[in-house]
């Protein structure tokens, strides 16, 4: 009985490990615009790639123009570990170099929802703590991923 219990516990832990990964339908690139605020307000394009062949099992986050100041923001921590549990995506250890005094470092959370056509949305409304004693970074917006073929 003890061997059966140990084997069952091991299988349960293995299946929970798979739960934090992404399925093929969830993998891919979410893109859109986000509002970023750290002393100044910016509207930037953003992408979150949950399946970059160069970094299997990692998330790659990018941010950039259309606003010229968005080009000065830099995600220096790519690639990131992440979890996706119960529709909540947590990207761990995101470090953002900003154009204002001080940078931000911390986890970024968002909610993944399914659309009727098979596409997905990633809604972000988060605060990333300051890396030094300055203001935090606020990020808000919705990114979109087309349906998985």
């Amino acid at each position: 009985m003890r061997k059966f219990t140990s084997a069952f516990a091991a299988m349960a832990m293995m299946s929970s490990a798979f739960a934090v990964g992404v399925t093929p339908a969830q993998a891919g690139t979410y893109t859109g615009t986000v509002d970023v605020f750290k002393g100044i307000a910016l509207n930037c394009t953003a992408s979150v790639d949950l399946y970059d062949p160069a970094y299997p099992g990692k998330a790659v986050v990018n941010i950039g123009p259309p606003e010229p100041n968005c080009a000065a923001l830099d995600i220096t921590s790519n690639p990131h570990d992440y979890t996706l549990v119960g529709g909540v995506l947590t990207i761990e250890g995101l470090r953002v170099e900003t154009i204002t005094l001080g940078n931000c470092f911390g986890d970024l959370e968002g909610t993944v929802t399914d659309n009727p056509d098979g596409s997905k949305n990633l809604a972000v409304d988060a605060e990333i703590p300051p890396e030094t004693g300055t203001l935090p970074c606020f990020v808000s917006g919705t990114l979109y991923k087309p349906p998985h073929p």
Side-chain angles (χ1 to χ4, degrees):
M1 182 67 169
R2 178 177 229 154
K3 286 183 181 179
F4 174 77
T5 305
S6 297
F8 184 78
M11 287 182 359
M13 287 190 300
M14 287 174 51
S15 66
S16 67
F18 290 118
V20 298
V22 296
T23 66
Q26 295 163 324
T29 304
Y30 294 77
T31 59
T33 59
V34 292
D35 293 321
V36 179
F37 181 81
K38 185 182 187 311
I40 61 171
L42 300 172
N43 184 264
C44 305
T45 59
S47 67
V48 174
D49 192 339
L50 297 184
Y51 186 76
D52 184 330
Y55 305 105
K58 302 285 186 175
V60 177
V61 180
N62 291 296
I63 195 163
E67 285 191 27
N69 285 334
C70 293
L73 300 176
D74 192 16
I75 310 288
T76 60
S77 51
N78 280 320
H80 304 92
D81 289 330
Y82 69 92
T83 59
L84 179 58
V85 179
V88 176
L89 175 68
T90 303
I91 298 172
E92 300 171 5
L94 186 77
R95 183 175 189 275
V96 183
E97 289 187 358
T98 65
I99 61 175
T100 59
L101 184 62
N103 301 317
C104 294
F105 179 79
D107 294 348
L108 178 69
E109 284 193 357
T111 303
V112 176
T113 55
D114 298 327
N115 297 318
D117 67 353
S119 64
K120 298 196 178 293
N121 289 335
L122 171 58
V124 177
D125 190 12
E127 177 180 321
I128 304 171
E131 190 172 45
T132 57
T134 61
L135 296 172
C137 294
F138 296 95
V139 182
S140 179
T142 300
L143 308 180
Y144 171 81
K145 185 188 88 60
H148 181 69

